[in-house]
Amino acid sequence: MKIKGCSFECENPFFVYFKKHYCPYCGQKLIRKKVSQIIHSDSEEALNYDFEVADITVKGNMKFTHIEFYCSVCQKQYTVKETKENDFLIDRWK
């Protein structure tokens, strides 16, 4: 399985790297975790991904990586969007 391209996406880097995030269930500090997935350009999943790298469209396997948050106590994983929503709810509870 040869990879012909890589893509790293980090939405809102300030929110991801400089703010502390906590689990909405147990209150434990969340850990940043890189999540990777290899997608082939001809698969059905490919419709949800962008296969362009530096104005070139990649044909074949491409590795997509993004950041998610992980609670080591609850063993739950949250996307950045879910973490934003959880932080908003936690702030309202205070």
Side-chain angles (χ1 to χ4, degrees):
M1 181 186 285
K2 186 175 179 183
I3 298 174
K4 297 188 176 182
C6 294
S7 172
F8 177 76
E9 183 179 322
C10 182
E11 51 185 286
N12 203 342
F14 182 80
F15 178 81
V16 171
Y17 291 105
F18 296 110
K19 189 173 181 201
K20 294 180 183 176
H21 308 286
Y22 299 93
C23 179
Y25 298 103
C26 68
Q28 183 72 20
K29 186 176 177 186
L30 297 176
I31 302 166
R32 284 187 311 271
K33 197 174 197 182
K34 283 187 182 180
V35 178
S36 298
Q37 188 174 16
I38 298 174
I39 307 290
H40 193 276
S41 60
D42 294 333
S43 70
E44 291 180 17
E45 288 184 293
L47 299 173
N48 301 329
Y49 293 91
D50 183 18
F51 280 81
E52 287 191 22
V53 177
D55 297 333
I56 298 171
T57 302
V58 176
K59 297 289 183 190
N61 294 324
M62 187 162 168
K63 183 177 182 180
F64 292 91
T65 306
H66 64 278
I67 301 289
E68 289 190 356
F69 294 96
Y70 177 74
C71 177
S72 58
V73 175
C74 299
Q75 297 182 353
K76 293 187 180 187
Q77 202 156 328
Y78 303 99
T79 63
V80 173
K81 184 177 178 180
E82 291 172 334
T83 306
K84 282 183 182 181
E85 292 169 1
N86 291 341
D87 285 356
F88 177 74
L89 291 174
I90 290 171
D91 288 342
R92 293 195 89 191
W93 292 337
K94 290 181 181 178

